[in-house]
Amino acid sequence: MDDYPLLDIFWTMLWFFLWIMWLFLLFKVITDIFRDHDLNGWAKAGWLIFCILLPYLGVLVYVIARGKGMSQRDVKQAKDSEAAFQDYIRKTAGTAPGGGATDELARLADLKEKGAITAEEFEKAKAKVLA
């Protein structure tokens, strides 16, 4: 430990942390390049080559030039994921609009009141819906 002072350990850890942060940013930029539907294939290829050949400069220029759109795409993806999740929950719980057990029972009660079905048919259908 005498040949590697504490300040050198601190600087090494700092540079390692910054390098890891830059790697995360590089992968974030690369995924954003492929996620962006506004860019055509040649533009995507150009940005990707720029980020691979000159990684520090490429990532910096991309974040400066397209950073606002990058955050908007992140927000849109989060909203789409939340909407898909909520839709899945509604379908799984059986509360999708027009398809729930409550709506079915109300429709059956309405048919019984109108005389379209008998009380016996209503009870059978109700038992089927509740089962």
Side-chain angles (χ1 to χ4, degrees):
M1 201 64 168
D2 293 333
D3 57 339
Y4 205 67
L6 186 61
L7 189 58
D8 287 345
I9 293 172
F10 171 75
W11 281 113
T12 302
M13 288 173 45
L14 179 69
W15 282 112
F16 182 71
F17 176 72
L18 290 174
W19 182 69
I20 295 294
M21 280 182 29
W22 177 81
L23 276 177
F24 274 105
L25 185 59
L26 175 67
F27 287 119
K28 181 76 172 159
V29 165
I30 289 173
T31 57
D32 188 66
I33 289 171
F34 287 108
R35 184 176 52 187
D36 188 7
H37 298 295
D38 294 337
L39 290 176
N40 62 19
W42 287 107
K44 288 180 183 185
W47 276 113
L48 190 61
I49 289 171
F50 187 41
C51 286
I52 289 174
L53 293 180
L54 299 170
Y56 293 106
L57 184 63
V59 168
L60 180 66
V61 170
Y62 186 86
V63 169
I64 291 171
R66 302 186 50 84
K68 188 173 185 178
M70 199 170 161
S71 64
Q72 290 170 349
R73 284 184 289 279
D74 280 341
V75 169
K76 183 182 180 306
Q77 183 182 13
K79 285 181 181 177
D80 291 346
S81 295
E82 179 67 22
F85 179 68
Q86 293 296 330
D87 187 46
Y88 171 76
I89 289 175
R90 280 188 206 96
K91 285 180 183 176
T92 304
T95 58
T102 308
D103 294 335
E104 186 68 22
L105 287 174
R107 188 180 63 82
L108 286 171
D110 189 41
L111 287 173
K112 181 183 169 194
E113 287 176 12
K114 290 180 181 177
I117 60 174
T118 65
E120 181 181 303
E121 291 171 330
F122 173 75
E123 290 302 322
K124 285 181 183 177
K126 182 173 120 178
K128 191 176 189 182
V129 168
L130 295 176

